[in-house]
Amino acid sequence: MADIDTIAKRVALHGAALATLGTDPAWDKALRAYLRADALQQADLEFGETAKGQERRKLECIMLADRYGPEWRKHPGAEAERRRIFEEGEESDKRWTERFCKPYWRASRELALTPAPTIAAAMFKATMIESDEVWNDCDFPADCMEILQSDFARLEV
């Protein structure tokens, strides 16, 4: 479960994002895609397929600890179960990345590349670039600082 600081950060970021809607169709489309991808990625971690699988694997680990003791991971009798649980976790991470992370990263890149229509949108974009580390994304094709400078220069008028 996400901690209250993480939830508060997300609420503030989403509130700032939603306040920018309605001024430009291209911005609105990119922002809606970003918010949708963000919500689905987090929801899957909290109560979706990924969360359910993690909870099931945690319970299996507790049962193995009951059967083999606190060092169950080192017990030869638990090796097959330990390996299965680990591999299921790895596969779950891969599915989550494909289904939710990659669309979220793509939406972050697209939003960062979309011209901000207002100062509020430019401020949100700057925060989103920082928060999502878009500047550090090896697939991002532009310089984030140049993008923000361009947005603010265009909005000075």
Side-chain angles (χ1 to χ4, degrees), residues 124-144:
F124 167 74
K125 184 195 285 191
T127 302
M128 184 273 301
I129 287 171
E130 178 184 355
S131 177
D132 291 353
E133 296 186 12
V134 175
W135 52 268
N136 198 33
D137 182 339
C138 61
D139 291 330
F140 191 67
D143 182 287
C144 289

Side-chain angles (χ1 to χ4, degrees), residues 31 41 46 53 55-56 59 61 64 69 75 103-104 112-113 126 155:
L31 182 62
Q41 173 186 282
E46 293 295 327
E55 187 64 26
R56 182 182 46 74
L59 290 173
C61 290
L64 287 168
H75 193 286
Y104 176 69
L113 291 168
L155 295 167

Side-chain angles (χ1 to χ4, degrees), residues 33-34 37-38 41 93-94 96-113 128 132-134 137-141:
Y34 171 80
D38 181 45
Q41 173 186 282
D93 287 348
K94 288 177 187 174
W96 180 66
T97 298
E98 287 299 317
R99 290 181 68 199
F100 300 108
C101 294
K102 287 184 178 182
Y104 176 69
W105 298 332
R106 184 174 42 256
S108 294
R109 289 189 295 269
E110 290 172 8
L111 185 59
L113 291 168
M128 184 273 301
D132 291 353
E133 296 186 12
V134 175
D137 182 339
C138 61
D139 291 330
F140 191 67

